[in-house]
Amino acid sequence: MMKILFCLLLAWVPSNANQYQNPIAPSSPDPWMQYYNGFYYLIATSWGSSVGIRKASTLDGLKSVDNTSVYSFDGHSLWAPEIHLVDGKWYLFYSACASDTDPANWGCHRNHVAESASDDPMGPYTFKADLIDPNDENMELDPSYIFINGEQYLMGSYNINGLANLFIRPMANPYTPTGAKRMLSTPTYDWEKEGETINEGPEPLYHDGRIFVVYSASSCSGANYKLGLLEFVGTDPLDSTHWQKYPTPLFQRSEENHVYGPGHNGFFKSPDGTEDWLVYHANDVNTEGCTMARSSRAQKFTWSDDGIPVFGIPEATGVTYESPSGEN
Ligand SMILES: *[C@@H]1O[C@H](CO)[C@@H](O)[C@H](O)[C@H]1NC(C)=O
């Protein structure tokens, strides 16, 4: 009888009644999230030698679940892990330092990829390949993966003469490069040069047949870390002149909402596939910089009449919003 009453009560709740507040998880810089087969999967920088994922059926549930280890490696200083589903398996791209390198020297970062045993995002994952460009063995970080006209490309950031550029590199599959990396974007505007001259964290965004890359600009150590936008407007993804950079930032600090240094984002769809959502990290005060104090936040975004993503301003923490459409 109790059970029947409970079901009747539930039937009165509108199906979209779920709510959430930011942050969605504490201590989770460089967040990346996917919604897959009924669950959200959130993965982030740990600075360690293992990778954890939070799995929950609701956005609001992520903060109360364990961050479960899915992969360990011989090395240290894990940054910016992402999982991408390619040909039925998940690939975990990450940057980290080899065990014989000095943790105080950030220049030790290189990109790598691990492979899941099945189509379960929780893995387990096993090491698959180093993704270092043999023509340039300097620092590489923030690996991501993009599909353009049926071809696959690795993206990331690399350090050259004290500044960070974005790169793009052709791949046969997530673990087999077919050529050298090419420059995708270099900082040009003043808003990309605050604190340090940096383009990093490139993330693919597809909409209505158009291909965008959203990236992070300036130094994460200041409050002016932010997001910028590139669009593929030509025929050759490996030629940076075939990409257009938008002249103004897409997303940046909000004094009003006490959100500082919002950036290094990812994208995910609502459970019913109708909404586009942004996941990103930010600080509550403008002095926390690139530390593990950065928490991850989610917010819905829209598109302009011209087909450009509109992220708005970073929402304040502790405010209740409606959860992604289609959550149970
Ligand atoms: C999440 O789990 C991984 C793997 O165990 C660990 O390395 C990382 O430090 C954890 N992150 C947090 C914020 O607890």
Side-chain angles (χ1 to χ4, degrees):
M1 186 58 184
M2 278 301 287
K3 201 167 180 184
I4 292 169
L5 272 177
F6 186 60
C7 289
L8 283 173
L9 279 173
L10 272 185
W12 284 103
V13 178
S15 63
N16 240 345
N18 283 358
Q19 296 178 322
Y20 77 101
Q21 294 187 345
N22 279 322
I24 55 167
S27 194
S28 43
D30 312 322
W32 170 260
M33 185 142 70
Q34 296 283 276
Y35 184 86
Y36 182 69
N37 281 349
F39 295 92
Y40 296 91
Y41 296 87
L42 177 66
I43 186 169
T45 282
S46 73
W47 276 101
S49 49
S50 54
V51 185
I53 295 185
R54 290 169 186 266
K55 172 184 179 183
S57 60
T58 63
L59 197 54
D60 194 51
L62 287 167
K63 37 170 98 69
S64 48
V65 296
D66 286 339
N67 152 46
T68 305
S69 179
V70 296
Y71 178 64
S72 297
F73 58 92
D74 178 26
H76 60 87
S77 304
L78 171 100
W79 287 0
E82 295 187 1
I83 54 168
H84 294 259
L85 184 63
V86 185
D87 292 334
K89 285 187 174 178
W90 289 91
Y91 289 90
L92 167 57
F93 294 92
Y94 61 101
S95 71
C97 296
S99 48
D100 61 355
T101 52
D102 176 4
N105 173 13
W106 294 356
C108 58
H109 279 87
R110 302 290 183 273
N111 291 332
H112 312 278
V113 63
E115 186 187 66
S116 67
S118 68
D119 69 347
D120 184 350
M122 297 304 281
Y125 289 86
T126 50
F127 177 81
K128 192 72 182 173
D130 292 320
L131 296 172
I132 302 155
D133 186 340
N135 302 309
D136 172 12
E137 297 186 355
N138 293 312
M139 184 185 197
E140 290 185 0
L141 63 158
D142 294 352
S144 190
Y145 213 61
I146 190 167
F147 293 85
I148 303 174
N149 298 333
E151 303 289 329
Q152 307 180 22
Y153 302 87
L154 179 73
M155 298 189 294
S157 184
Y158 65 107
N159 236 308
I160 177 165
N161 303 328
L163 65 85
N165 290 334
L166 301 181
F167 74 78
I168 185 164
R169 189 172 180 198
M171 305 289 283
N173 56 45
Y175 48 91
T176 314
T178 55
K181 68 172 178 260
R182 303 279 291 273
M183 200 258 277
L184 172 62
S185 167
T186 192
T188 47
Y189 294 107
D190 287 348
W191 56 265
E192 299 176 285
K193 300 176 181 174
E194 296 188 82
E196 286 169 285
T197 301
I198 287 180
N199 281 176
E200 63 183 15
E203 309 298 346
L205 179 61
Y206 312 95
H207 185 68
D208 270 354
R210 290 166 72 172
I211 294 162
F212 299 94
V213 169
V214 172
Y215 63 96
S216 300
S218 289
S219 173
C220 65
S221 62
N224 294 322
Y225 196 56
K226 58 175 83 67
L227 297 178
L229 183 67
L230 296 172
E231 183 174 6
F232 180 52
V233 292
T235 52
D236 181 6
L238 297 171
D239 183 340
S240 63
T241 66
H242 290 208
W243 291 83
Q244 177 193 342
K245 181 181 289 188
Y246 284 73
T248 52
L250 206 53
F251 197 62
Q252 54 192 317
R253 70 192 276 174
S254 167
E255 283 300 334
E256 171 194 354
N257 288 343
H258 304 285
V259 181
Y260 300 95
H264 205 126
N265 72 298
F267 299 105
F268 63 101
K269 289 277 189 184
S270 59
D272 65 7
T274 63
E275 296 170 348
D276 285 302
W277 284 72
L278 176 65
V279 64
Y280 61 97
H281 74 226
N283 285 315
D284 292 331
V285 296
N286 70 4
T287 50
E288 276 168 343
C290 311
T291 69
M292 283 298 287
R294 292 171 291 178
S295 55
S296 49
R297 297 121 194 263
Q299 75 185 58
K300 188 164 78 172
F301 69 93
T302 56
W303 297 86
S304 73
D305 292 343
D306 296 337
I308 305 301
V310 179
F311 291 174
I313 61 170
E315 289 163 358
T317 58
V319 177
T320 302
Y321 291 96
E322 207 162 284
S323 297
S325 174
E327 256 189 22
N328 295 310

